[in-house]
Amino acid sequence: MPNAKLENLLNLALSATEAEMQKSHVLNTGYSPVSKTWELIVKYHGPLERLESEVIHIEPLINGYAIATVREDFIDAFADLDEVEFVEKPKRLYFE
């Protein structure tokens, strides 16, 4: 069942096959297939720095936001933390 704290597009990307990920420029944004990690945008409250480990790296921003690099198999556990309010994947920007 998809995690309610995860953006719908991130839930879709996490359930996609490897072939679907490689074909899509939208689903694979923020994903590193070599290390099997995701760079995620996190809305949070309280201290997230205590979560720093081999599988999670936190880069605090401002106003309760951070960039978290999380190993794919730890995303659900990360999102379930009380401090985490919402998690989304980065978006690819295009110029016209």
Side-chain angles (χ1 to χ4, degrees), residues 4-42:
K5 286 187 181 178
L6 300 181
E7 167 195 35
N8 289 336
L9 189 58
L10 178 55
N11 275 316
L12 180 63
L14 292 172
S15 65
T17 65
E18 191 76 29
E20 291 168 333
M21 290 282 288
Q22 290 176 356
K23 290 180 185 176
S24 174
H25 292 294
V26 175
L27 292 180
N28 66 4
T29 302
Y31 180 65
S32 172
V34 174
S35 61
K36 302 245 186 243
T37 59
W38 284 87
E39 277 193 354
L40 303 169
I41 302 165
V42 180

Side-chain angles (χ1 to χ4, degrees), residues 10-96:
L10 178 55
N11 275 316
L12 180 63
L14 292 172
S15 65
T17 65
E18 191 76 29
E20 291 168 333
M21 290 282 288
Q22 290 176 356
K23 290 180 185 176
S24 174
H25 292 294
V26 175
L27 292 180
N28 66 4
T29 302
Y31 180 65
S32 172
V34 174
S35 61
K36 302 245 186 243
T37 59
W38 284 87
E39 277 193 354
L40 303 169
I41 302 165
V42 180
K43 172 75 173 136
Y44 71 98
H45 63 273
L48 276 187
E49 292 80 17
R50 68 178 178 84
L51 304 174
E52 280 283 335
S53 67
E54 293 178 10
V55 296
I56 298 172
H57 172 72
I58 306 293
E59 184 67 37
L61 300 174
I62 59 172
N63 293 332
Y65 285 91
I67 302 295
T69 305
V70 183
R71 222 171 62 196
E72 187 172 37
D73 53 338
F74 281 83
I75 291 176
D76 280 328
F78 176 72
D80 286 339
L81 296 169
D82 290 335
E83 294 90 346
V84 175
E85 296 175 24
F86 190 72
V87 182
E88 65 181 279
K89 61 189 290 320
K91 310 299 185 282
R92 189 176 297 263
L93 298 177
Y94 297 97
F95 296 99
E96 290 189 27

